[in-house]
Amino acid sequence: MPHVSFVALSGFRIHDPVLRELGMTLPGFDERAQALAALPALGLITLAGLLPEHWTCSYVAPAAVTPELLDAIQQQRPDLVAISALTASIEEAYQLSDALRAAGRTTVLGGLHVTACPEEAARHASSIVVGPAEPVWTQLLEDVQGNRLQLRYGEARRPESEDRGDWPLPRFDLLGEVQRYTLQTQRGCPLACDFCAASRLLERFREKPAANIARELEAIQACCPDPLIELADDNTFAGSRDPFELLDVLEASGARWFTESDWRLGERPQVLARLGGAGCVQVLMGIESMVFRYPGMGGKQAELERMLDAVHAIQGAGVAVNGCFIVGADGETPASLQRLTAFLLESPFADVQITLQTPFPGTALRERLARQNRLLPELGWPHCSLFEVTYQPDLLSVPELEQGFREVLTHVFAAASTQRRRSLRRDVWRRNRRLRRVPVA
């Protein structure tokens, strides 16, 4: 029987040794990094769900590319090795694919980075998939068996009005004994923030039917009766569907889950009244930059006070808010970094996430910085980790922004600050009567 080896190189990466060492001393920062690293690669296990019955498969998410990994894949004697990677780990994916091809294996690369940089990726794989892989996956497998594999798949875009309706059931069982799972209720985002590639690069915004979501929840709970689920959505409640149909399905599952949504959720009292009872534990909310208004944010753009009112409303409903902030946008200065630090030390957020502005391939942000000759060519893809400066700031030097970012992290994720947010989370979750127990903070 033909076999495909799925390899996910999408784990969390920090390549800056100074920041890596710093993170190990900051409990809050290290906790967030581990949470991100624990999330599985949903794209690959979704493709596994589309395999014909006569194909077998395996799945691995290694922390790094090693000779042992190469040997383990070779021992499976795969007819195809499907590799997915984020930008920060794409060079590792190229290294693995090159080594496997040299050993006579057929490889395919796909994902956001490959879609943004197809010519580059094509030099390191037997084939690449540009855009969503589901529509071309069956054809690709048939071509592998027929020894007629094409160099590229998926470049033809479907009309905006055409909905494929294909929502395959992911093979959650391939993940083994884990408690954290990812589930998508939508693809993309109706907004187009210029730092984000995920919203539009792979395909247009689509929302998954409630019946499919229910089926996936059942499959997850067959693997783990009490899972913690991340809705791998860019903005769960920003679309046009009926939110109560989604909440009905989630509530019926009894699962705990967290998701991403913009602040406008806090101005929807009827949704908030159901949110905690439907099992929602936390909402990741992009506040973004405190000094710069990114193009493309649409209705998500608002004054800080209005957003903070929404935070209080969401947390009053028993759902913690993780406020996400971007450091290093145009207008950032030492004074603005100090103001951000002071604000976060006293802010109402039950948790926070702080990253550096990162010009990922395929984003309007990268195009803008490239036009301005502000990208740092000596810093390649491994540095696009959300935690390294890969461009020239407008009002700071690169070392000034690096040091300023580290100082923000040092204060905001220090032990006392981290404990303060843990206490806030516990207080918020005590208001959520649906929770059988207060989750570990």
Side-chain angles (χ1 to χ4, degrees), residues 139-413:
Q139 183 63 55
L140 189 152
L141 295 175
E142 291 176 356
D143 290 349
V144 167
Q145 286 197 277
N147 294 316
R148 55 177 183 272
L149 187 67
Q150 301 172 40
L151 296 178
R152 299 190 187 192
Y153 290 84
E155 292 176 296
R157 297 287 178 138
R158 290 177 179 254
E160 288 288 307
S161 60
E162 184 179 348
D163 190 346
R164 297 192 311 268
D166 56 336
W167 296 101
L169 181 65
R171 286 282 307 278
F172 296 109
D173 59 294
L174 293 176
L175 301 178
E177 295 183 2
V178 299
Q179 191 174 30
R180 295 173 66 90
Y181 292 82
T182 49
L183 181 155
Q184 275 190 323
T185 77
Q186 62 184 40
R187 291 280 182 86
C189 178
L191 305 178
C193 304
D194 84 337
F195 54 81
C196 178
S199 63
R200 303 290 174 84
L201 189 60
L202 287 181
E203 60 179 320
R204 66 179 180 83
F205 176 64
R206 296 195 298 147
E207 294 173 303
K208 186 180 293 184
N212 294 73
I213 298 169
R215 188 166 64 123
E216 292 187 27
L217 286 165
E218 290 176 2
I220 290 173
Q221 291 178 308
C223 300
C224 177
D226 186 27
L228 181 60
I229 298 172
E230 178 183 4
L231 302 188
D233 305 337
D234 293 301
N235 201 335
T236 296
F237 297 99
S240 59
R241 69 179 165 199
D242 180 358
F244 301 107
E245 187 177 22
L246 172 62
L247 292 173
D248 286 343
V249 168
L250 290 164
E251 183 172 357
S253 75
R256 294 170 297 149
W257 51 277
F258 58 101
T259 191
E260 297 184 27
S261 182
D262 68 61
W263 65 271
R264 293 174 295 176
L265 174 64
E267 294 187 352
R268 302 175 71 176
Q270 292 180 319
V271 176
L272 291 185
R274 291 283 313 280
L275 196 61
C280 186
V281 173
Q282 187 176 87
V283 170
L284 203 69
M285 179 187 293
I287 306 298
E288 319 310 359
S289 174
M290 299 281 279
V291 298
F292 180 74
R293 291 181 177 268
Y294 284 101
M297 292 177 66
K300 176 180 169 179
Q301 196 68 261
E303 297 303 317
L304 181 61
E305 288 305 315
R306 188 175 180 184
M307 289 190 279
L308 291 180
D309 287 342
V311 171
H312 286 294
I314 295 169
Q315 295 191 157
V319 176
V321 174
N322 186 333
C324 299
F325 294 82
I326 297 174
V327 167
D330 284 358
E332 201 78 86
T333 64
S336 70
L337 291 172
Q338 291 173 4
R339 288 194 300 271
L340 174 63
T341 300
F343 168 72
L344 291 178
L345 291 178
E346 301 294 332
S347 75
F349 298 101
D351 207 350
V352 294
Q353 177 172 297
I354 309 169
T355 58
L356 273 169
Q357 175 178 267
T358 302
F360 287 107
T363 62
L365 170 63
R366 187 173 187 85
E367 294 175 2
R368 172 160 56 87
L369 293 178
R371 288 195 303 269
Q372 298 169 353
N373 294 315
R374 292 171 59 190
L375 296 176
L376 302 179
E378 68 274 18
L379 297 181
W381 300 132
H383 299 276
C384 290
S385 63
L386 294 171
F387 297 98
E388 297 183 61
V389 181
T390 59
Y391 61 95
Q392 175 59 55
D394 63 335
L395 301 180
L396 296 170
S397 68
V398 170
E400 285 174 334
L401 179 55
E402 289 174 335
Q403 183 58 32
F405 179 60
R406 291 166 187 155
E407 289 176 359
V408 172
L409 296 180
T410 298
H411 288 92
V412 174
F413 291 105

Side-chain angles (χ1 to χ4, degrees), residues 8-14 36-39 61-63 85-86 88-89:
L9 294 170
S10 53
F12 190 69
R13 302 288 197 277
I14 295 181
L36 290 171
L39 295 174
L86 301 176
S89 55

